[in-house]
Amino acid sequence: MSAASRRFGEPNPRVPHIVMAAGMLYFLVPLLWVVIAATKSQPDLLSSPALWFGRGFALFDNIGQLFREDGGVYGRWLVNTALYSGASALGATLLAAFAGYGLARFSFWGKGFFETALLGMIMVPATALVLPTYLILSRLGLVNTAWAVILPSLLSPFGAYLIRVYVTESVPVELIDAARVDRASELRIFWQIVVPMIRPAIVTVFLFTLVATWNNYFLPLVMLSDADLYPLTVGLTTWFNTAQQEAGTRVLFNLVVTGSLVAIVPLIIAFVLLQRFWRSGVGTGALK
Amino acid sequence: MTRALPRTAPEDGGAPRRPSIERAPRRGSRGVTAHSLAGMLFVLPFFLVVVAFLVVPLGFALYLSFFTKSLVLGSRFSGLDGYVRAFTDPLLLDGFLRVLLFGAVQIPIMLGIALAGALALDAITTRFAVLYRLFAFMPYAVPAVIGALMWGFLYSKTFGPFSGVTSLFGGDPVDFFGGPLLLVSLGNIVTWAWTGYNMIVMYSALQGVPREMYEAAVLDGASPVQIALRVKVPAIRQAISLAAIFTVIGTMQFFTEPQIMARFAPQISAGYTPNLYAYNQAFAYSNFNYSATISFTLGFVVFVVAYAFVFVSRRRGAGS
């Protein structure tokens, strides 16, 4: 690279690459391990070198066994996870978009207080709410249903905050005024003018809430007791616990590993496909 | 800013100065105008969720924490006894101390690596940058449960590649699950999962810094390292403190990794972290009142720590 093509204030171009290469090694080795380990049969997993392939290639056998074990319960877990996270992310994003827009472009009684409270809500640790929520939902008879996982996940104060910031910066008041003069309804203004303008923020909030619910463990662990309702995170840990306890009879380590791989692939694909969105979105959060 | 955008007034020669919607209704009394009603309706669904899943649970936890339940006496009001018990419970205090110690070491290390990575990434203009960004972000897509399981296998003496490293030099296999190394092992899992995420947050902020700032520093004769530390880092202070706040909040709620790792590491007790303690009080000992006390205390402590952090970093930001 010639000196002229370098931007101002940049070090030797090799240094950053060395730093990043070291980082990549760290980030990727565990993932590489999962990919390799998922190709091994149970005996191979124990006997062959950890970061190299075993004697056979058992990936497809493992995947087959994964979806057959316990009457195909893994498939259910996968569907449950997609359902819980999809519904939660959609709902949370919609609520956050409405609220963020309402706070950014309207004035009403109590708004100032609510905006201050919103910052406080971001600081409230989600897991401190899980146990009390469990106790309330158990009185309402909602525990051990999909609702017990989806409803609490609709709460996304940070999402509402992010959208409020984004609307304030990118949706001109004049445009909304003009639409009002043209007698568009408030809801129509929101869907047809505001939503297209804040699409990057919406995709970001959607992605973050999707990942948060897809990866959530504590909430479903507390709320669900029926294995058919488990998401992947809780299901895999039950398998893992069984594998640890019944080490002699029914060893499931290869399934736990293969199940882990199958569980992370969809999210990684989602990130690769949507990366231009989350990149700009993460920045929105970072600048405020 | 919004006002800088071109006006999109209709061409039909309407009122030359439309009152701005943000200011107009405030002139009136507290009466509900169509405008403020619309605003309220937009916020209402979110508000209801906040009430149902934040305000009510917190209130309920507070309420439960004033009661004690026993087999003999049933549920009875016990005032602040629960809190007296909590703040004198050595297991809970140990848990808090452990989490604080953990955070005091792990958070600066992780944010330091993330910052170094963000500065390095910011200096890369080739196509590699896209690839690096993607790979750095990948651990974030891995559920904490799976991250903990993966590292549990990697640390293991039977599956893992690392424990045998010392045997090359004739030593015993490394025990990642015991003794003082356990907290380090846990710290590594968290660092692995979140460094890339924080790196991208800081990197995105760096991308938003006007390049003219660097040019001025170059003209003043600053070296690349000086520019990085004295211009770039202060320019993204907000992003760094944002990452720090979320990390502090996350660390205080430490649950998943120790809970999963407890299968490998018997040293992880029921009260290893406050959140784990609250969970076990509720589901292992059916002690829901005390669990609510711990939950509320934990929530309150995190809230206070996070708020204090925001306050301090804002004041420091304003002072310089």
Side-chain angles (χ1 to χ4, degrees), chain A residues 56-83:
Chain A
F57 186 82
L59 177 63
F60 299 112
D61 293 343
N62 283 340
I63 291 178
Q65 197 193 343
L66 178 71
F67 283 97
R68 278 194 312 273
E69 193 72 26
D70 278 350
V73 76
Y74 186 89
R76 286 204 71 112
W77 294 342
L78 199 62
V79 171
N80 290 344
T81 307
L83 184 76

PDB file of all heavy atoms in Angstrom, chain A residues 56-83:
ATOM      1  N   GLY A  56     -13.662 -40.870  11.356  1.00  0.00           N
ATOM      2  CA  GLY A  56     -14.782 -40.882  10.426  1.00  0.00           C
ATOM      3  C   GLY A  56     -15.379 -39.489  10.282  1.00  0.00           C
ATOM      4  O   GLY A  56     -14.963 -38.544  10.949  1.00  0.00           O
ATOM      5  N   PHE A  57     -16.347 -39.364   9.369  1.00  0.00           N
ATOM      6  CA  PHE A  57     -17.056 -38.099   9.215  1.00  0.00           C
ATOM      7  C   PHE A  57     -18.509 -38.345   9.582  1.00  0.00           C
ATOM      8  O   PHE A  57     -19.296 -38.871   8.794  1.00  0.00           O
ATOM      9  CB  PHE A  57     -16.932 -37.598   7.783  1.00  0.00           C
ATOM     10  CG  PHE A  57     -17.512 -36.222   7.601  1.00  0.00           C
ATOM     11  CD1 PHE A  57     -16.776 -35.094   7.933  1.00  0.00           C
ATOM     12  CD2 PHE A  57     -18.798 -36.062   7.104  1.00  0.00           C
ATOM     13  CE1 PHE A  57     -17.310 -33.828   7.765  1.00  0.00           C
ATOM     14  CE2 PHE A  57     -19.342 -34.785   6.938  1.00  0.00           C
ATOM     15  CZ  PHE A  57     -18.589 -33.675   7.265  1.00  0.00           C
ATOM     16  N   ALA A  58     -18.843 -38.008  10.836  1.00  0.00           N
ATOM     17  CA  ALA A  58     -20.138 -38.418  11.372  1.00  0.00           C
ATOM     18  C   ALA A  58     -21.137 -37.274  11.450  1.00  0.00           C
ATOM     19  O   ALA A  58     -22.165 -37.392  12.118  1.00  0.00           O
ATOM     20  CB  ALA A  58     -19.956 -39.042  12.750  1.00  0.00           C
ATOM     21  N   LEU A  59     -20.857 -36.165  10.760  1.00  0.00           N
ATOM     22  CA  LEU A  59     -21.737 -34.997  10.892  1.00  0.00           C
ATOM     23  C   LEU A  59     -23.188 -35.352  10.565  1.00  0.00           C
ATOM     24  O   LEU A  59     -24.101 -35.040  11.324  1.00  0.00           O
ATOM     25  CB  LEU A  59     -21.247 -33.860   9.994  1.00  0.00           C
ATOM     26  CG  LEU A  59     -22.130 -32.606   9.998  1.00  0.00           C
ATOM     27  CD1 LEU A  59     -22.167 -31.966  11.372  1.00  0.00           C
ATOM     28  CD2 LEU A  59     -21.659 -31.588   8.975  1.00  0.00           C
ATOM     29  N   PHE A  60     -23.380 -36.039   9.436  1.00  0.00           N
ATOM     30  CA  PHE A  60     -24.766 -36.303   9.026  1.00  0.00           C
ATOM     31  C   PHE A  60     -25.428 -37.331   9.932  1.00  0.00           C
ATOM     32  O   PHE A  60     -26.622 -37.219  10.228  1.00  0.00           O
ATOM     33  CB  PHE A  60     -24.807 -36.693   7.547  1.00  0.00           C
ATOM     34  CG  PHE A  60     -24.279 -35.592   6.663  1.00  0.00           C
ATOM     35  CD1 PHE A  60     -23.090 -35.735   5.962  1.00  0.00           C
ATOM     36  CD2 PHE A  60     -24.959 -34.384   6.587  1.00  0.00           C
ATOM     37  CE1 PHE A  60     -22.602 -34.694   5.192  1.00  0.00           C
ATOM     38  CE2 PHE A  60     -24.477 -33.342   5.812  1.00  0.00           C
ATOM     39  CZ  PHE A  60     -23.283 -33.494   5.107  1.00  0.00           C
ATOM     40  N   ASP A  61     -24.625 -38.299  10.385  1.00  0.00           N
ATOM     41  CA  ASP A  61     -25.164 -39.240  11.374  1.00  0.00           C
ATOM     42  C   ASP A  61     -25.591 -38.496  12.631  1.00  0.00           C
ATOM     43  O   ASP A  61     -26.656 -38.759  13.194  1.00  0.00           O
ATOM     44  CB  ASP A  61     -24.100 -40.285  11.762  1.00  0.00           C
ATOM     45  CG  ASP A  61     -23.776 -41.205  10.595  1.00  0.00           C
ATOM     46  OD1 ASP A  61     -24.594 -41.238   9.647  1.00  0.00           O
ATOM     47  OD2 ASP A  61     -22.718 -41.857  10.622  1.00  0.00           O
ATOM     48  N   ASN A  62     -24.727 -37.582  13.066  1.00  0.00           N
ATOM     49  CA  ASN A  62     -25.035 -36.818  14.276  1.00  0.00           C
ATOM     50  C   ASN A  62     -26.303 -36.003  14.103  1.00  0.00           C
ATOM     51  O   ASN A  62     -27.147 -35.941  14.996  1.00  0.00           O
ATOM     52  CB  ASN A  62     -23.873 -35.887  14.625  1.00  0.00           C
ATOM     53  CG  ASN A  62     -22.714 -36.621  15.261  1.00  0.00           C
ATOM     54  OD1 ASN A  62     -22.881 -37.720  15.779  1.00  0.00           O
ATOM     55  ND2 ASN A  62     -21.540 -36.020  15.207  1.00  0.00           N
ATOM     56  N   ILE A  63     -26.414 -35.338  12.926  1.00  0.00           N
ATOM     57  CA  ILE A  63     -27.601 -34.513  12.701  1.00  0.00           C
ATOM     58  C   ILE A  63     -28.846 -35.396  12.670  1.00  0.00           C
ATOM     59  O   ILE A  63     -29.874 -35.061  13.265  1.00  0.00           O
ATOM     60  CB  ILE A  63     -27.456 -33.690  11.402  1.00  0.00           C
ATOM     61  CG1 ILE A  63     -26.371 -32.627  11.601  1.00  0.00           C
ATOM     62  CG2 ILE A  63     -28.777 -33.028  11.028  1.00  0.00           C
ATOM     63  CD1 ILE A  63     -26.086 -31.772  10.395  1.00  0.00           C
ATOM     64  N   GLY A  64     -28.725 -36.550  12.029  1.00  0.00           N
ATOM     65  CA  GLY A  64     -29.855 -37.478  12.000  1.00  0.00           C
ATOM     66  C   GLY A  64     -30.256 -37.905  13.397  1.00  0.00           C
ATOM     67  O   GLY A  64     -31.430 -37.844  13.769  1.00  0.00           O
ATOM     68  N   GLN A  65     -29.248 -38.292  14.170  1.00  0.00           N
ATOM     69  CA  GLN A  65     -29.511 -38.729  15.544  1.00  0.00           C
ATOM     70  C   GLN A  65     -30.087 -37.581  16.378  1.00  0.00           C
ATOM     71  O   GLN A  65     -30.979 -37.775  17.201  1.00  0.00           O
ATOM     72  CB  GLN A  65     -28.210 -39.235  16.172  1.00  0.00           C
ATOM     73  CG  GLN A  65     -28.419 -40.084  17.427  1.00  0.00           C
ATOM     74  CD  GLN A  65     -27.123 -40.301  18.195  1.00  0.00           C
ATOM     75  OE1 GLN A  65     -26.035 -40.090  17.656  1.00  0.00           O
ATOM     76  NE2 GLN A  65     -27.242 -40.717  19.431  1.00  0.00           N
ATOM     77  N   LEU A  66     -29.568 -36.361  16.112  1.00  0.00           N
ATOM     78  CA  LEU A  66     -30.013 -35.167  16.841  1.00  0.00           C
ATOM     79  C   LEU A  66     -31.522 -34.993  16.716  1.00  0.00           C
ATOM     80  O   LEU A  66     -32.217 -34.745  17.694  1.00  0.00           O
ATOM     81  CB  LEU A  66     -29.288 -33.943  16.269  1.00  0.00           C
ATOM     82  CG  LEU A  66     -29.623 -32.571  16.846  1.00  0.00           C
ATOM     83  CD1 LEU A  66     -29.058 -32.455  18.240  1.00  0.00           C
ATOM     84  CD2 LEU A  66     -29.038 -31.469  15.970  1.00  0.00           C
ATOM     85  N   PHE A  67     -32.036 -35.156  15.487  1.00  0.00           N
ATOM     86  CA  PHE A  67     -33.464 -34.920  15.277  1.00  0.00           C
ATOM     87  C   PHE A  67     -34.324 -36.137  15.612  1.00  0.00           C
ATOM     88  O   PHE A  67     -35.546 -36.052  15.576  1.00  0.00           O
ATOM     89  CB  PHE A  67     -33.708 -34.456  13.829  1.00  0.00           C
ATOM     90  CG  PHE A  67     -33.333 -33.009  13.618  1.00  0.00           C
ATOM     91  CD1 PHE A  67     -32.091 -32.661  13.094  1.00  0.00           C
ATOM     92  CD2 PHE A  67     -34.205 -31.991  13.978  1.00  0.00           C
ATOM     93  CE1 PHE A  67     -31.743 -31.334  12.923  1.00  0.00           C
ATOM     94  CE2 PHE A  67     -33.858 -30.665  13.798  1.00  0.00           C
ATOM     95  CZ  PHE A  67     -32.624 -30.330  13.274  1.00  0.00           C
ATOM     96  N   ARG A  68     -33.681 -37.285  15.910  1.00  0.00           N
ATOM     97  CA  ARG A  68     -34.451 -38.479  16.294  1.00  0.00           C
ATOM     98  C   ARG A  68     -34.509 -38.657  17.812  1.00  0.00           C
ATOM     99  O   ARG A  68     -35.469 -39.217  18.337  1.00  0.00           O
ATOM    100  CB  ARG A  68     -33.821 -39.726  15.661  1.00  0.00           C
ATOM    101  CG  ARG A  68     -34.228 -39.979  14.206  1.00  0.00           C
ATOM    102  CD  ARG A  68     -33.854 -41.383  13.772  1.00  0.00           C
ATOM    103  NE  ARG A  68     -32.492 -41.745  14.107  1.00  0.00           N
ATOM    104  CZ  ARG A  68     -31.432 -41.495  13.335  1.00  0.00           C
ATOM    105  NH1 ARG A  68     -31.593 -40.873  12.184  1.00  0.00           N
ATOM    106  NH2 ARG A  68     -30.218 -41.852  13.708  1.00  0.00           N
ATOM    107  N   GLU A  69     -33.485 -38.199  18.497  1.00  0.00           N
ATOM    108  CA  GLU A  69     -33.369 -38.434  19.937  1.00  0.00           C
ATOM    109  C   GLU A  69     -34.604 -37.933  20.694  1.00  0.00           C
ATOM    110  O   GLU A  69     -35.165 -36.888  20.350  1.00  0.00           O
ATOM    111  CB  GLU A  69     -32.114 -37.717  20.460  1.00  0.00           C
ATOM    112  CG  GLU A  69     -31.683 -38.108  21.847  1.00  0.00           C
ATOM    113  CD  GLU A  69     -31.088 -39.510  21.904  1.00  0.00           C
ATOM    114  OE1 GLU A  69     -30.565 -39.972  20.877  1.00  0.00           O
ATOM    115  OE2 GLU A  69     -31.164 -40.136  22.969  1.00  0.00           O
ATOM    116  N   ASP A  70     -35.019 -38.679  21.699  1.00  0.00           N
ATOM    117  CA  ASP A  70     -36.170 -38.296  22.523  1.00  0.00           C
ATOM    118  C   ASP A  70     -37.410 -37.980  21.690  1.00  0.00           C
ATOM    119  O   ASP A  70     -38.119 -36.997  21.952  1.00  0.00           O
ATOM    120  CB  ASP A  70     -35.822 -37.052  23.380  1.00  0.00           C
ATOM    121  CG  ASP A  70     -35.066 -37.436  24.633  1.00  0.00           C
ATOM    122  OD1 ASP A  70     -34.979 -38.642  24.930  1.00  0.00           O
ATOM    123  OD2 ASP A  70     -34.549 -36.528  25.308  1.00  0.00           O
ATOM    124  N   GLY A  71     -37.646 -38.766  20.664  1.00  0.00           N
ATOM    125  CA  GLY A  71     -38.835 -38.555  19.846  1.00  0.00           C
ATOM    126  C   GLY A  71     -38.820 -37.255  19.061  1.00  0.00           C
ATOM    127  O   GLY A  71     -39.860 -36.621  18.877  1.00  0.00           O
ATOM    128  N   GLY A  72     -37.631 -36.844  18.635  1.00  0.00           N
ATOM    129  CA  GLY A  72     -37.530 -35.657  17.779  1.00  0.00           C
ATOM    130  C   GLY A  72     -37.754 -34.349  18.511  1.00  0.00           C
ATOM    131  O   GLY A  72     -38.174 -33.357  17.915  1.00  0.00           O
ATOM    132  N   VAL A  73     -37.461 -34.326  19.794  1.00  0.00           N
ATOM    133  CA  VAL A  73     -37.755 -33.126  20.586  1.00  0.00           C
ATOM    134  C   VAL A  73     -36.887 -31.927  20.158  1.00  0.00           C
ATOM    135  O   VAL A  73     -37.297 -30.783  20.298  1.00  0.00           O
ATOM    136  CB  VAL A  73     -37.599 -33.445  22.099  1.00  0.00           C
ATOM    137  CG1 VAL A  73     -36.142 -33.515  22.500  1.00  0.00           C
ATOM    138  CG2 VAL A  73     -38.345 -32.434  22.954  1.00  0.00           C
ATOM    139  N   TYR A  74     -35.712 -32.213  19.582  1.00  0.00           N
ATOM    140  CA  TYR A  74     -34.842 -31.100  19.174  1.00  0.00           C
ATOM    141  C   TYR A  74     -35.532 -30.216  18.136  1.00  0.00           C
ATOM    142  O   TYR A  74     -35.441 -28.996  18.194  1.00  0.00           O
ATOM    143  CB  TYR A  74     -33.508 -31.636  18.630  1.00  0.00           C
ATOM    144  CG  TYR A  74     -32.522 -30.535  18.321  1.00  0.00           C
ATOM    145  CD1 TYR A  74     -31.659 -30.071  19.295  1.00  0.00           C
ATOM    146  CD2 TYR A  74     -32.470 -29.953  17.064  1.00  0.00           C
ATOM    147  CE1 TYR A  74     -30.774 -29.049  19.029  1.00  0.00           C
ATOM    148  CE2 TYR A  74     -31.588 -28.936  16.786  1.00  0.00           C
ATOM    149  CZ  TYR A  74     -30.730 -28.482  17.774  1.00  0.00           C
ATOM    150  OH  TYR A  74     -29.869 -27.461  17.502  1.00  0.00           O
ATOM    151  N   GLY A  75     -36.228 -30.872  17.210  1.00  0.00           N
ATOM    152  CA  GLY A  75     -36.959 -30.102  16.197  1.00  0.00           C
ATOM    153  C   GLY A  75     -37.978 -29.170  16.841  1.00  0.00           C
ATOM    154  O   GLY A  75     -38.126 -28.020  16.442  1.00  0.00           O
ATOM    155  N   ARG A  76     -38.642 -29.681  17.859  1.00  0.00           N
ATOM    156  CA  ARG A  76     -39.605 -28.840  18.596  1.00  0.00           C
ATOM    157  C   ARG A  76     -38.901 -27.637  19.210  1.00  0.00           C
ATOM    158  O   ARG A  76     -39.406 -26.517  19.184  1.00  0.00           O
ATOM    159  CB  ARG A  76     -40.251 -29.650  19.729  1.00  0.00           C
ATOM    160  CG  ARG A  76     -41.265 -30.652  19.300  1.00  0.00           C
ATOM    161  CD  ARG A  76     -42.209 -30.930  20.461  1.00  0.00           C
ATOM    162  NE  ARG A  76     -43.079 -29.793  20.705  1.00  0.00           N
ATOM    163  CZ  ARG A  76     -44.382 -29.817  20.493  1.00  0.00           C
ATOM    164  NH1 ARG A  76     -44.959 -30.899  20.059  1.00  0.00           N
ATOM    165  NH2 ARG A  76     -45.109 -28.749  20.733  1.00  0.00           N
ATOM    166  N   TRP A  77     -37.749 -27.909  19.831  1.00  0.00           N
ATOM    167  CA  TRP A  77     -36.997 -26.814  20.482  1.00  0.00           C
ATOM    168  C   TRP A  77     -36.629 -25.741  19.462  1.00  0.00           C
ATOM    169  O   TRP A  77     -36.710 -24.548  19.740  1.00  0.00           O
ATOM    170  CB  TRP A  77     -35.729 -27.366  21.148  1.00  0.00           C
ATOM    171  CG  TRP A  77     -35.993 -28.279  22.293  1.00  0.00           C
ATOM    172  CD1 TRP A  77     -37.152 -28.389  23.002  1.00  0.00           C
ATOM    173  CD2 TRP A  77     -35.077 -29.213  22.858  1.00  0.00           C
ATOM    174  NE1 TRP A  77     -37.022 -29.332  23.980  1.00  0.00           N
ATOM    175  CE2 TRP A  77     -35.756 -29.858  23.923  1.00  0.00           C
ATOM    176  CE3 TRP A  77     -33.763 -29.568  22.589  1.00  0.00           C
ATOM    177  CZ2 TRP A  77     -35.150 -30.839  24.712  1.00  0.00           C
ATOM    178  CZ3 TRP A  77     -33.154 -30.539  23.366  1.00  0.00           C
ATOM    179  CH2 TRP A  77     -33.849 -31.172  24.415  1.00  0.00           C
ATOM    180  N   LEU A  78     -36.224 -26.214  18.291  1.00  0.00           N
ATOM    181  CA  LEU A  78     -35.837 -25.272  17.235  1.00  0.00           C
ATOM    182  C   LEU A  78     -37.043 -24.413  16.838  1.00  0.00           C
ATOM    183  O   LEU A  78     -36.950 -23.178  16.748  1.00  0.00           O
ATOM    184  CB  LEU A  78     -35.304 -26.060  16.035  1.00  0.00           C
ATOM    185  CG  LEU A  78     -34.449 -25.339  15.006  1.00  0.00           C
ATOM    186  CD1 LEU A  78     -33.176 -24.817  15.640  1.00  0.00           C
ATOM    187  CD2 LEU A  78     -34.089 -26.290  13.868  1.00  0.00           C
ATOM    188  N   VAL A  79     -38.190 -25.084  16.635  1.00  0.00           N
ATOM    189  CA  VAL A  79     -39.404 -24.351  16.263  1.00  0.00           C
ATOM    190  C   VAL A  79     -39.808 -23.404  17.391  1.00  0.00           C
ATOM    191  O   VAL A  79     -40.132 -22.227  17.152  1.00  0.00           O
ATOM    192  CB  VAL A  79     -40.551 -25.343  15.942  1.00  0.00           C
ATOM    193  CG1 VAL A  79     -41.875 -24.607  15.777  1.00  0.00           C
ATOM    194  CG2 VAL A  79     -40.220 -26.148  14.703  1.00  0.00           C
ATOM    195  N   ASN A  80     -39.767 -23.892  18.648  1.00  0.00           N
ATOM    196  CA  ASN A  80     -40.112 -23.030  19.787  1.00  0.00           C
ATOM    197  C   ASN A  80     -39.230 -21.788  19.829  1.00  0.00           C
ATOM    198  O   ASN A  80     -39.722 -20.673  20.010  1.00  0.00           O
ATOM    199  CB  ASN A  80     -39.923 -23.783  21.113  1.00  0.00           C
ATOM    200  CG  ASN A  80     -40.954 -24.875  21.302  1.00  0.00           C
ATOM    201  OD1 ASN A  80     -41.972 -24.895  20.624  1.00  0.00           O
ATOM    202  ND2 ASN A  80     -40.673 -25.794  22.215  1.00  0.00           N
ATOM    203  N   THR A  81     -37.921 -22.005  19.666  1.00  0.00           N
ATOM    204  CA  THR A  81     -36.992 -20.879  19.722  1.00  0.00           C
ATOM    205  C   THR A  81     -37.332 -19.849  18.655  1.00  0.00           C
ATOM    206  O   THR A  81     -37.401 -18.646  18.936  1.00  0.00           O
ATOM    207  CB  THR A  81     -35.552 -21.383  19.526  1.00  0.00           C
ATOM    208  OG1 THR A  81     -35.304 -22.430  20.449  1.00  0.00           O
ATOM    209  CG2 THR A  81     -34.552 -20.274  19.766  1.00  0.00           C
ATOM    210  N   ALA A  82     -37.554 -20.351  17.431  1.00  0.00           N
ATOM    211  CA  ALA A  82     -37.885 -19.425  16.337  1.00  0.00           C
ATOM    212  C   ALA A  82     -39.181 -18.691  16.641  1.00  0.00           C
ATOM    213  O   ALA A  82     -39.282 -17.473  16.439  1.00  0.00           O
ATOM    214  CB  ALA A  82     -37.995 -20.200  15.031  1.00  0.00           C
ATOM    215  N   LEU A  83     -40.162 -19.429  17.172  1.00  0.00           N
ATOM    216  CA  LEU A  83     -41.459 -18.826  17.471  1.00  0.00           C
ATOM    217  C   LEU A  83     -41.342 -17.773  18.579  1.00  0.00           C
ATOM    218  O   LEU A  83     -41.798 -16.635  18.435  1.00  0.00           O
ATOM    219  CB  LEU A  83     -42.416 -19.933  17.913  1.00  0.00           C
ATOM    220  CG  LEU A  83     -43.856 -19.509  18.177  1.00  0.00           C
ATOM    221  CD1 LEU A  83     -44.589 -19.293  16.871  1.00  0.00           C
ATOM    222  CD2 LEU A  83     -44.573 -20.565  19.023  1.00  0.00           C
TER     223      LEU A  83
END
